[in-house]
Amino acid sequence: MTTTTGIQVFDNMITWQKSHEANIVETTQKLNEAQTGLDVFNAYKEYYDNIDKIGYEYNFMEGKDPNNEEDYSAQLQELGKAEILATDIDGDNQISFEEYVTAQTETLGDEIDKETYAEILTMCDLTFTIIDEGMGNSDKNGYLSADEMASFYKNLDRYSLDENQEGYLKDQGDGKFNIDEASDFISYLINNMIKPETYEELKGYYLDSLAQEQL
């Protein structure tokens, strides 16, 4: 019997996520190049066919029962530990803000505009702060630990969208992430935990910093 390690579960999750992101990019390009209604139809058809192939949901329990509290907590902890291993650069077994930003921006192309980059940095900054200060197991020490990342994934598992695409947190997760909810979760956290003026002030700070770097 083959045992799936926490690292493998995490890597499989990242592969699942990046496959969906690539599907969106590819579909957007085809829609931009579409010349006929048939081209548009085919682009959307391929998009949804790819979703089926990739899998709309990712089950991080790997066959274990999410209703078993011990197994569920252990699997979340494995995801948290794997996140640290994947993101920690200096080997101190925690994630600094700089390491977090590096992980979140490493695939960005050089053609990204300053406005978009400032928005990404703002989202990174606020998300890092929320995980470090505003979730279960948060220790507010300026670094992200495996426990804090496990809490992040636990809340992501609880996150759901209703029929109006409004987000809310369920009482209990089911051990599965679906791509729509996973894509919306960060925005939900920021919209519900951060004041709009705080977001704009921070974005302005990053815009100013990027402008200074170009001088």
Side-chain angles (χ1 to χ4, degrees), residues 109-122 203-215:
D110 295 335
E111 69 278 2
I112 188 170
D113 62 89
K114 184 172 67 174
E115 179 85 10
T116 301
Y117 192 40
E119 289 178 353
I120 292 172
L121 292 175
T122 301
K203 180 182 173 182
Y205 163 78
Y206 281 114
L207 279 171
D208 290 342
S209 297
L210 292 172
Q212 289 296 319
E213 290 177 5
Q214 294 177 350
L215 294 180

mmCIF file of all heavy atoms in Angstrom, residues 109-122 203-215:
data_model
loop_
_atom_site.group_PDB
_atom_site.id
_atom_site.type_symbol
_atom_site.label_atom_id
_atom_site.label_comp_id
_atom_site.label_asym_id
_atom_site.label_seq_id
_atom_site.Cartn_x
_atom_site.Cartn_y
_atom_site.Cartn_z
ATOM 1 N N GLY A 109 5.258 37.497 -14.867
ATOM 2 C CA GLY A 109 6.124 37.887 -15.983
ATOM 3 C C GLY A 109 6.632 39.308 -15.835
ATOM 4 O O GLY A 109 6.097 40.114 -15.065
ATOM 5 N N ASP A 110 7.666 39.628 -16.596
ATOM 6 C CA ASP A 110 8.253 40.968 -16.545
ATOM 7 C C ASP A 110 7.313 42.023 -17.113
ATOM 8 O O ASP A 110 7.486 43.218 -16.856
ATOM 9 C CB ASP A 110 9.571 41.000 -17.327
ATOM 10 C CG ASP A 110 10.633 40.115 -16.694
ATOM 11 O OD1 ASP A 110 10.539 39.880 -15.476
ATOM 12 O OD2 ASP A 110 11.527 39.655 -17.426
ATOM 13 N N GLU A 111 6.311 41.587 -17.868
ATOM 14 C CA GLU A 111 5.439 42.566 -18.537
ATOM 15 C C GLU A 111 4.347 43.097 -17.630
ATOM 16 O O GLU A 111 3.568 43.965 -18.036
ATOM 17 C CB GLU A 111 4.790 41.912 -19.770
ATOM 18 C CG GLU A 111 3.751 40.830 -19.472
ATOM 19 C CD GLU A 111 4.362 39.478 -19.171
ATOM 20 O OE1 GLU A 111 5.606 39.392 -19.164
ATOM 21 O OE2 GLU A 111 3.592 38.527 -18.933
ATOM 22 N N ILE A 112 4.268 42.629 -16.384
ATOM 23 C CA ILE A 112 3.215 43.074 -15.486
ATOM 24 C C ILE A 112 3.345 44.580 -15.222
ATOM 25 O O ILE A 112 4.443 45.099 -15.035
ATOM 26 C CB ILE A 112 3.269 42.269 -14.167
ATOM 27 C CG1 ILE A 112 2.048 42.594 -13.314
ATOM 28 C CG2 ILE A 112 4.549 42.538 -13.402
ATOM 29 C CD1 ILE A 112 1.896 41.667 -12.132
ATOM 30 N N ASP A 113 2.224 45.281 -15.232
ATOM 31 C CA ASP A 113 2.266 46.735 -15.039
ATOM 32 C C ASP A 113 2.344 47.077 -13.551
ATOM 33 O O ASP A 113 2.021 46.266 -12.678
ATOM 34 C CB ASP A 113 1.044 47.398 -15.681
ATOM 35 C CG ASP A 113 -0.261 46.937 -15.056
ATOM 36 O OD1 ASP A 113 -0.701 47.544 -14.080
ATOM 37 O OD2 ASP A 113 -0.834 45.942 -15.553
ATOM 38 N N LYS A 114 2.772 48.293 -13.270
ATOM 39 C CA LYS A 114 3.007 48.733 -11.889
ATOM 40 C C LYS A 114 1.739 48.698 -11.047
ATOM 41 O O LYS A 114 1.769 48.309 -9.870
ATOM 42 C CB LYS A 114 3.589 50.158 -11.914
ATOM 43 C CG LYS A 114 3.972 50.690 -10.542
ATOM 44 C CD LYS A 114 4.706 52.006 -10.656
ATOM 45 C CE LYS A 114 3.783 53.088 -11.174
ATOM 46 N NZ LYS A 114 4.430 54.426 -11.173
ATOM 47 N N GLU A 115 0.620 49.085 -11.618
ATOM 48 C CA GLU A 115 -0.652 49.100 -10.895
ATOM 49 C C GLU A 115 -1.028 47.690 -10.434
ATOM 50 O O GLU A 115 -1.393 47.472 -9.271
ATOM 51 C CB GLU A 115 -1.747 49.668 -11.792
ATOM 52 C CG GLU A 115 -3.133 49.712 -11.161
ATOM 53 C CD GLU A 115 -3.370 50.960 -10.326
ATOM 54 O OE1 GLU A 115 -2.534 51.872 -10.390
ATOM 55 O OE2 GLU A 115 -4.376 50.997 -9.614
ATOM 56 N N THR A 116 -0.936 46.726 -11.338
ATOM 57 C CA THR A 116 -1.282 45.346 -11.004
ATOM 58 C C THR A 116 -0.315 44.774 -9.971
ATOM 59 O O THR A 116 -0.729 44.086 -9.027
ATOM 60 C CB THR A 116 -1.262 44.465 -12.268
ATOM 61 O OG1 THR A 116 -2.199 44.975 -13.216
ATOM 62 C CG2 THR A 116 -1.632 43.028 -11.935
ATOM 63 N N TYR A 117 0.961 45.073 -10.133
ATOM 64 C CA TYR A 117 1.952 44.569 -9.188
ATOM 65 C C TYR A 117 1.720 45.142 -7.795
ATOM 66 O O TYR A 117 1.846 44.427 -6.786
ATOM 67 C CB TYR A 117 3.354 44.902 -9.676
ATOM 68 C CG TYR A 117 4.457 44.186 -8.934
ATOM 69 C CD1 TYR A 117 4.309 42.855 -8.555
ATOM 70 C CD2 TYR A 117 5.653 44.829 -8.613
ATOM 71 C CE1 TYR A 117 5.318 42.184 -7.881
ATOM 72 C CE2 TYR A 117 6.667 44.173 -7.942
ATOM 73 C CZ TYR A 117 6.484 42.856 -7.577
ATOM 74 O OH TYR A 117 7.482 42.190 -6.905
ATOM 75 N N ALA A 118 1.355 46.415 -7.721
ATOM 76 C CA ALA A 118 1.049 47.042 -6.426
ATOM 77 C C ALA A 118 -0.158 46.373 -5.780
ATOM 78 O O ALA A 118 -0.195 46.170 -4.557
ATOM 79 C CB ALA A 118 0.801 48.535 -6.602
ATOM 80 N N GLU A 119 -1.150 46.011 -6.576
ATOM 81 C CA GLU A 119 -2.323 45.326 -6.050
ATOM 82 C C GLU A 119 -1.949 43.940 -5.511
ATOM 83 O O GLU A 119 -2.433 43.521 -4.445
ATOM 84 C CB GLU A 119 -3.389 45.191 -7.134
ATOM 85 C CG GLU A 119 -4.058 46.512 -7.508
ATOM 86 C CD GLU A 119 -5.074 46.356 -8.627
ATOM 87 O OE1 GLU A 119 -5.157 45.239 -9.192
ATOM 88 O OE2 GLU A 119 -5.771 47.335 -8.936
ATOM 89 N N ILE A 120 -1.088 43.228 -6.224
ATOM 90 C CA ILE A 120 -0.657 41.901 -5.779
ATOM 91 C C ILE A 120 0.122 42.001 -4.474
ATOM 92 O O ILE A 120 -0.099 41.221 -3.534
ATOM 93 C CB ILE A 120 0.194 41.231 -6.874
ATOM 94 C CG1 ILE A 120 -0.680 40.894 -8.079
ATOM 95 C CG2 ILE A 120 0.864 39.967 -6.337
ATOM 96 C CD1 ILE A 120 0.093 40.416 -9.283
ATOM 97 N N LEU A 121 1.029 42.971 -4.378
ATOM 98 C CA LEU A 121 1.794 43.162 -3.149
ATOM 99 C C LEU A 121 0.888 43.530 -1.988
ATOM 100 O O LEU A 121 1.100 43.080 -0.850
ATOM 101 C CB LEU A 121 2.861 44.247 -3.358
ATOM 102 C CG LEU A 121 3.999 43.898 -4.310
ATOM 103 C CD1 LEU A 121 4.902 45.101 -4.523
ATOM 104 C CD2 LEU A 121 4.804 42.718 -3.778
ATOM 105 N N THR A 122 -0.129 44.326 -2.262
ATOM 106 C CA THR A 122 -1.086 44.707 -1.225
ATOM 107 C C THR A 122 -1.851 43.489 -0.724
ATOM 108 O O THR A 122 -2.016 43.290 0.486
ATOM 109 C CB THR A 122 -2.074 45.760 -1.763
ATOM 110 O OG1 THR A 122 -1.350 46.909 -2.209
ATOM 111 C CG2 THR A 122 -3.069 46.177 -0.685
ATOM 112 N N LYS A 203 -1.965 50.097 -0.787
ATOM 113 C CA LYS A 203 -1.698 50.066 -2.222
ATOM 114 C C LYS A 203 -0.941 51.322 -2.652
ATOM 115 O O LYS A 203 0.000 51.251 -3.469
ATOM 116 C CB LYS A 203 -3.008 49.952 -3.003
ATOM 117 C CG LYS A 203 -2.806 49.921 -4.508
ATOM 118 C CD LYS A 203 -4.129 49.857 -5.255
ATOM 119 C CE LYS A 203 -3.933 49.997 -6.747
ATOM 120 N NZ LYS A 203 -5.219 49.984 -7.487
ATOM 121 N N GLY A 204 -1.328 52.462 -2.103
ATOM 122 C CA GLY A 204 -0.617 53.701 -2.413
ATOM 123 C C GLY A 204 0.839 53.633 -1.984
ATOM 124 O O GLY A 204 1.733 54.118 -2.701
ATOM 125 N N TYR A 205 1.083 53.004 -0.844
ATOM 126 C CA TYR A 205 2.463 52.840 -0.357
ATOM 127 C C TYR A 205 3.278 52.025 -1.358
ATOM 128 O O TYR A 205 4.424 52.378 -1.689
ATOM 129 C CB TYR A 205 2.451 52.163 1.009
ATOM 130 C CG TYR A 205 3.778 51.596 1.409
ATOM 131 C CD1 TYR A 205 4.798 52.414 1.898
ATOM 132 C CD2 TYR A 205 4.030 50.221 1.288
ATOM 133 C CE1 TYR A 205 6.031 51.885 2.259
ATOM 134 C CE2 TYR A 205 5.262 49.688 1.653
ATOM 135 C CZ TYR A 205 6.254 50.521 2.126
ATOM 136 O OH TYR A 205 7.479 50.004 2.471
ATOM 137 N N TYR A 206 2.696 50.915 -1.842
ATOM 138 C CA TYR A 206 3.432 50.068 -2.783
ATOM 139 C C TYR A 206 3.610 50.755 -4.138
ATOM 140 O O TYR A 206 4.647 50.592 -4.784
ATOM 141 C CB TYR A 206 2.742 48.718 -2.930
ATOM 142 C CG TYR A 206 3.043 47.786 -1.785
ATOM 143 C CD1 TYR A 206 2.049 47.380 -0.905
ATOM 144 C CD2 TYR A 206 4.339 47.346 -1.559
ATOM 145 C CE1 TYR A 206 2.340 46.537 0.167
ATOM 146 C CE2 TYR A 206 4.641 46.509 -0.497
ATOM 147 C CZ TYR A 206 3.639 46.114 0.364
ATOM 148 O OH TYR A 206 3.926 45.285 1.424
ATOM 149 N N LEU A 207 2.631 51.513 -4.561
ATOM 150 C CA LEU A 207 2.780 52.265 -5.810
ATOM 151 C C LEU A 207 3.922 53.257 -5.693
ATOM 152 O O LEU A 207 4.746 53.397 -6.618
ATOM 153 C CB LEU A 207 1.478 52.994 -6.145
ATOM 154 C CG LEU A 207 0.383 52.172 -6.823
ATOM 155 C CD1 LEU A 207 -0.917 52.974 -6.879
ATOM 156 C CD2 LEU A 207 0.797 51.749 -8.222
ATOM 157 N N ASP A 208 3.997 53.950 -4.562
ATOM 158 C CA ASP A 208 5.086 54.914 -4.336
ATOM 159 C C ASP A 208 6.439 54.213 -4.293
ATOM 160 O O ASP A 208 7.434 54.687 -4.854
ATOM 161 C CB ASP A 208 4.868 55.682 -3.037
ATOM 162 C CG ASP A 208 3.695 56.648 -3.124
ATOM 163 O OD1 ASP A 208 3.269 56.978 -4.251
ATOM 164 O OD2 ASP A 208 3.204 57.075 -2.059
ATOM 165 N N SER A 209 6.478 53.044 -3.630
ATOM 166 C CA SER A 209 7.731 52.303 -3.524
ATOM 167 C C SER A 209 8.219 51.823 -4.889
ATOM 168 O O SER A 209 9.418 51.920 -5.201
ATOM 169 C CB SER A 209 7.549 51.088 -2.597
ATOM 170 O OG SER A 209 7.225 51.501 -1.289
ATOM 171 N N LEU A 210 7.278 51.352 -5.711
ATOM 172 C CA LEU A 210 7.646 50.893 -7.058
ATOM 173 C C LEU A 210 8.132 52.053 -7.913
ATOM 174 O O LEU A 210 9.049 51.907 -8.731
ATOM 175 C CB LEU A 210 6.451 50.198 -7.716
ATOM 176 C CG LEU A 210 6.043 48.862 -7.082
ATOM 177 C CD1 LEU A 210 4.730 48.380 -7.687
ATOM 178 C CD2 LEU A 210 7.130 47.811 -7.284
ATOM 179 N N ALA A 211 7.508 53.210 -7.744
ATOM 180 C CA ALA A 211 7.918 54.387 -8.506
ATOM 181 C C ALA A 211 9.335 54.809 -8.104
ATOM 182 O O ALA A 211 10.154 55.195 -8.955
ATOM 183 C CB ALA A 211 6.934 55.536 -8.263
ATOM 184 N N GLN A 212 9.652 54.718 -6.799
ATOM 185 C CA GLN A 212 10.984 55.078 -6.324
ATOM 186 C C GLN A 212 12.055 54.132 -6.862
ATOM 187 O O GLN A 212 13.168 54.545 -7.168
ATOM 188 C CB GLN A 212 11.002 55.062 -4.776
ATOM 189 C CG GLN A 212 10.232 56.192 -4.132
ATOM 190 C CD GLN A 212 10.822 57.543 -4.449
ATOM 191 O OE1 GLN A 212 12.051 57.723 -4.466
ATOM 192 N NE2 GLN A 212 9.971 58.525 -4.697
ATOM 193 N N GLU A 213 11.674 52.852 -7.010
ATOM 194 C CA GLU A 213 12.631 51.875 -7.525
ATOM 195 C C GLU A 213 13.019 52.156 -8.970
ATOM 196 O O GLU A 213 14.104 51.772 -9.419
ATOM 197 C CB GLU A 213 12.028 50.459 -7.435
ATOM 198 C CG GLU A 213 11.901 49.956 -6.005
ATOM 199 C CD GLU A 213 11.242 48.600 -5.946
ATOM 200 O OE1 GLU A 213 10.976 48.023 -7.035
ATOM 201 O OE2 GLU A 213 10.996 48.096 -4.834
ATOM 202 N N GLN A 214 12.146 52.838 -9.691
ATOM 203 C CA GLN A 214 12.391 53.119 -11.106
ATOM 204 C C GLN A 214 13.208 54.393 -11.316
ATOM 205 O O GLN A 214 13.629 54.684 -12.419
ATOM 206 C CB GLN A 214 11.067 53.231 -11.862
ATOM 207 C CG GLN A 214 10.295 51.908 -11.912
ATOM 208 C CD GLN A 214 8.965 52.050 -12.599
ATOM 209 O OE1 GLN A 214 8.490 53.155 -12.898
ATOM 210 N NE2 GLN A 214 8.327 50.925 -12.878
ATOM 211 N N LEU A 215 13.393 55.155 -10.224
ATOM 212 C CA LEU A 215 14.152 56.412 -10.348
ATOM 213 C C LEU A 215 15.649 56.126 -10.496
ATOM 214 O O LEU A 215 16.166 55.158 -9.990
ATOM 215 C CB LEU A 215 13.878 57.282 -9.117
ATOM 216 C CG LEU A 215 12.450 57.799 -8.953
ATOM 217 C CD1 LEU A 215 12.339 58.635 -7.678
ATOM 218 C CD2 LEU A 215 12.044 58.616 -10.170
#
